[in-house]
Amino acid sequence: MSLSIALEPPRQEGVLRLLDMSDSYAQSLYPPESNHLVDVSSLEKPTVSFFVARHDGEIVGCCALAEAGDGTAEIKRMFVDPKARGLKVASKLMSALEAIAVEKRLQAVRLETGIYQPEAIALYRKYGYVQIEPFGSYLPDPLSLFMEKQLA
């Protein structure tokens, strides 16, 4: 039983399946105006580091670190296949993502998540993320939670 995290292209069958699952999950929880999902072409930009988690070779999780160009980056598309939950996939993705952020000498990593995702919120808090005001192009939304972690 092996779990690996690597930088990989987002446009591959297993990742597209996860993104579809993520879309469906978000759409089941929030109205369209509160879903801030980016498409696969946005994940292919040179300013995005895209991570794929594989369990015994099968794609079971993903996330992206999208650099804003101002010394910060945003976590996008963090998702783990429900059948792989309990394998610490999200924690390993977070560790890989933060290692790249430190390597790139970013000052802070930010994210937007929904208030109906307590597992995600707990994960981010465990990693030291704190609530902030909306950032970038986000507008205040009672269904969104904005978080940030300052990096050393």
Side-chain angles (χ1 to χ4, degrees), residues 4-59:
S4 65
I5 309 293
L7 289 167
E8 293 189 31
R11 197 176 296 271
Q12 51 181 309
E13 190 178 322
V15 171
L16 297 175
R17 181 183 63 82
L18 285 180
L19 297 179
D20 285 344
M21 291 170 73
S22 172
D23 289 352
S24 297
Y25 180 62
Q27 290 160 3
S28 75
L29 296 174
Y30 307 103
E33 64 275 9
S34 293
N35 272 321
H36 305 287
L37 305 169
V38 295
D39 63 10
V40 72
S41 60
S42 299
L43 301 171
E44 294 175 310
K45 294 180 178 173
T47 54
V48 176
S49 300
F50 192 81
F51 298 87
V52 173
R54 292 177 180 268
H55 181 251
D56 293 337
E58 183 185 352
I59 294 175

Side-chain angles (χ1 to χ4, degrees), residues 1 13 50 61 85-86 91 98 116 138 151:
M1 233 173 65
E13 190 178 322
F50 192 81
R85 302 232 166 110
S91 289
E98 288 189 351
Y116 302 133
Y138 290 108
L151 303 174

Side-chain angles (χ1 to χ4, degrees), residues 120-143:
I121 295 166
L123 173 75
Y124 299 134
R125 286 198 172 124
K126 178 180 138 187
Y127 274 83
Y129 288 74
V130 296
Q131 192 168 342
I132 60 169
E133 293 299 310
F135 61 91
S137 61
Y138 290 108
L139 299 173
D141 182 338
L143 300 179

